[in-house]
Amino acid sequence: MIVRSLLTIWMAVIIIAAFLYAEAAHGFPGETSRILFFHVPQAWIATLAFLISMIASVLYLAKRNVKADYIAQSAAELGFLFCVLATVTGSIFAKATWGSFWNWDPRQTSIVILLMIYGAYFALRSAVPDLERKRVFAGVYSILAFAAVPFLVFVVPRITSSLHPENTMNPASPGMDPKTLKVFLGSLFAYTGLFVWMLRLKIRILNIEGLRVRDLFR
Amino acid sequence: MHQTKNARQTTQTKPSTYLNEAVAIWLRDLRSEFRTRYALNAILMFAVTTLIAVSFSIGSFRIEEAERPFLYAVLLWIILTFSALSGLARSFVKEEEAGTMDILKLSARPQAVFLGKLLFNLTLLGAMELIIVPSFILLMAYQINFPGFFIAMVVSGGLGLAAGTTIIAAMIARASARGALFSALSIPLLLPLMITAIKGCERAAVGIGTAGWPEVKMAVAYVIVMVIMSLFLFPLVWEE
């Protein structure tokens, strides 16, 4: 309860700071660079969720513990949500700076493939009626997809010459304004907190649903 | 010859290896395929009708000379990929429909089943490519300056199509809405391969920058990764 209230306050502070405290970065039209505080953490969560889902799938296949599958499914669902958010916010930024909502920039290509994998994962889950089998198949597909994705890094054309801003807004490079860096890291933290909270809620829901199903067949 | 023809006899006379179990399954599938020709007919008719549709609507002169190497490579790989997806699931779906899954589980080890089915899918794909690729080249007047590279790309790309989809076929055989699901699950996994193969065929047609055969190497690496991952994961899918 306390943690949740703190998270709410923290998130509100970050949203206000993103618009009022941090200054807009140079070299971007108007205030467009402020999308950094929302878009980048969303993309980070989408990737993190994908990774968590894959690791939980491996655990499920090794130990056959239902809890692991709940984690894999919840992480995938939340990852899909954040993936959509990152795609939409990125697309708005693309319209504002590059002139079109969609132009198959390498970043856009890779996020679409991530969305397709998530979509296929859910389609597979909904198409297998048997519970145990559904979990195994979903886990196997998750791992297969994880093995295929690295090839994209090599084959997506001109991945190094993406229009995606890296240098001015990358926190690791010295080009970033200290105020911007502070708000960015704060936002990253807030989004991670939000994700963890949502993930735990989702796992609890699946747990309760699982109990009900088991009781029915007892 | 006699031993490979009859899997049961092989297991009685000497301990069977993965290889001859796989070959036995491959030969059995080939025999049953020759009786019905279901999968081959489905794949070939799909490929031929798509090829005719493409050739009829675009013809051999619509696309400008400079654009041809790339656009023809795209068209060729769309035809090949979707034709493959129309029929490759058959290898496992037919076991489910005929109710022979359990017998197959008893008579061979999972990895051998996977290898046998992979060989069978490769045979189907090989037959399809042998007919479709030359017809495509003739119908579209596809100018290829480096045929060796082109052939290697088509072969390694075909290997990749089979390697990426065989384990998916095993999964969707036990699911509902099989046909649509097979494509939906396979395409995200096949995209890196498709992009590579299109790039490779474009390079072969232009005939520049083929030193080191980068795309063929990439496709072969994809095949190796997918086959190894499938060999690890297939027993889980198969025994479920």
Side-chain angles (χ1 to χ4, degrees), chain B residues 7 56 72 78 82 104 114 147 188 195 210 219:
Chain B
F56 177 72
Y72 281 8
I78 288 177
F82 282 88
L104 197 55
F114 173 78
I195 298 171
T210 48

Side-chain angles (χ1 to χ4, degrees), chain A residues 61 64 113 116-117 120-121 123-124 127-130 132-133 136-137 140-141 143-145 147-148 151-152 154-155 157, chain B residues 167-168 170-171 174-176 181 184-189 191-192 195-196 218 221-222 225-226 229-230 233 236-237 240:
Chain A
L61 292 177
R64 298 298 163 106
I113 289 164
M116 281 172 73
I117 291 172
Y121 178 84
L124 177 62
V128 184
D130 183 83
E132 170 88 11
R133 186 179 288 171
V136 172
F137 285 9
V140 167
Y141 187 72
I143 295 167
L144 272 182
F151 283 95
L152 282 170
F154 301 109
V155 299
Chain B
I167 188 169
I168 306 282
M171 286 198 267
R174 253 84 64 80
S176 37
L181 194 64
L185 292 184
S186 301
I187 290 202
L189 301 187
L191 262 180
I195 298 171
T196 310
M218 181 68 74
Y222 178 88
V225 168
M226 288 320 264
M229 293 301 288
S230 300
L233 295 171
L236 296 169
V237 172
E240 189 44 60

Side-chain angles (χ1 to χ4, degrees), chain B residues 4-191:
Chain B
T4 48
K5 255 188 174 175
N6 191 329
R8 192 157 16 121
Q9 198 162 5
T10 315
T11 47
Q12 279 169 354
T13 47
K14 61 175 185 184
S16 67
T17 63
Y18 281 107
L19 192 66
N20 57 34
E21 277 180 24
V23 169
I25 289 170
W26 175 46
L27 292 175
R28 156 190 171 277
D29 276 358
L30 277 184
R31 258 205 307 280
S32 88
E33 179 59 33
F34 269 119
R35 282 181 199 141
T36 61
R37 284 182 220 88
Y38 183 98
L40 191 64
N41 281 344
I43 292 184
L44 266 185
M45 278 320 292
F46 191 101
V48 168
T49 39
T50 329
L51 176 60
I52 288 171
V54 167
S55 169
F56 177 72
S57 50
I58 295 177
S60 53
F61 54 87
R62 273 285 180 81
I63 298 175
E64 279 178 39
E65 199 93 35
E67 301 280 342
R68 275 182 204 173
F70 175 64
L71 288 180
Y72 281 8
V74 172
L75 289 171
L76 177 64
W77 278 98
I78 288 177
I79 295 174
L80 289 179
T81 309
F82 282 88
S83 310
L85 290 179
S86 74
L88 285 192
R90 188 72 202 149
S91 53
F92 281 99
V93 170
K94 79 169 178 218
E95 305 286 353
E96 184 73 18
E97 281 174 357
T100 47
M101 212 84 139
D102 294 329
I103 304 291
L104 197 55
K105 275 180 198 169
L106 289 175
S107 39
R109 282 165 289 190
Q111 283 90 348
V113 173
F114 173 78
L115 288 176
K117 295 291 185 186
L118 181 65
L119 281 174
F120 176 67
N121 279 349
L122 278 175
T123 319
L124 279 182
L125 267 178
M128 175 190 81
E129 286 188 340
L130 215 55
I131 293 170
I132 294 304
V133 176
S135 326
F136 184 88
I137 293 171
L138 288 177
L139 284 173
M140 307 293 287
Y142 197 177
Q143 192 77 40
I144 294 158
N145 287 329
F146 193 169
F149 188 87
F150 187 83
I151 292 169
M153 195 68 249
V154 168
V155 169
S156 58
L159 283 171
L161 284 180
T165 55
T166 302
I167 188 169
I168 306 282
M171 286 198 267
I172 64 112
R174 253 84 64 80
S176 37
R178 287 166 189 158
L181 194 64
F182 186 52
S183 303
L185 292 184
S186 301
I187 290 202
L189 301 187
L190 291 179
L191 262 180

Side-chain angles (χ1 to χ4, degrees), chain A residues 48-119:
Chain A
L48 179 72
F50 191 43
L51 185 68
I52 290 177
S53 181
M54 198 278 294
I55 294 170
S57 298
V58 173
L59 278 179
Y60 177 75
L61 292 177
K63 303 257 187 257
R64 298 298 163 106
N65 185 345
V66 183
K67 291 270 164 59
D69 181 66
Y70 289 164
I71 298 175
Q73 192 192 342
S74 315
E77 284 179 12
L78 290 173
F80 184 71
L81 174 71
F82 281 95
C83 209
V84 170
L85 285 175
T87 312
V88 171
T89 50
S91 189
I92 293 169
F93 179 76
K95 176 69 180 171
T97 54
W98 311 335
S100 79
F101 283 111
W102 206 261
N103 56 4
W104 291 107
D105 186 80
R107 289 305 180 100
Q108 290 178 328
T109 311
S110 49
I111 203 142
V112 159
I113 289 164
L114 198 57
L115 280 173
M116 281 172 73
I117 291 172
Y118 273 133

Side-chain angles (χ1 to χ4, degrees), chain A residues 156-208:
Chain A
V156 171
R158 295 169 281 111
I159 196 137
T160 46
S161 67
S162 163
L163 290 171
H164 196 272
E166 305 283 338
N167 301 324
T168 44
M169 306 219 290
N170 187 341
S173 77
M176 200 184 217
D177 181 57
K179 278 183 181 176
T180 310
L181 184 62
K182 260 185 252 169
V183 181
F184 173 69
L185 292 178
S187 172
L188 214 55
F189 183 74
Y191 266 96
T192 312
L194 183 70
F195 171 67
V196 171
W197 175 61
M198 288 169 86
L199 187 66
R200 289 184 57 191
L201 266 187
K202 183 72 206 167
I203 293 169
R204 262 168 63 196
I205 293 171
L206 287 178
N207 252 322
I208 292 165

Side-chain angles (χ1 to χ4, degrees), chain A residues 2-21:
Chain A
I2 297 171
V3 177
R4 210 195 316 163
S5 323
L6 282 177
L7 187 63
T8 314
I9 297 166
W10 184 247
M11 200 82 197
V13 168
I14 289 298
I15 291 171
I16 295 167
F19 285 101
L20 300 178
Y21 176 70

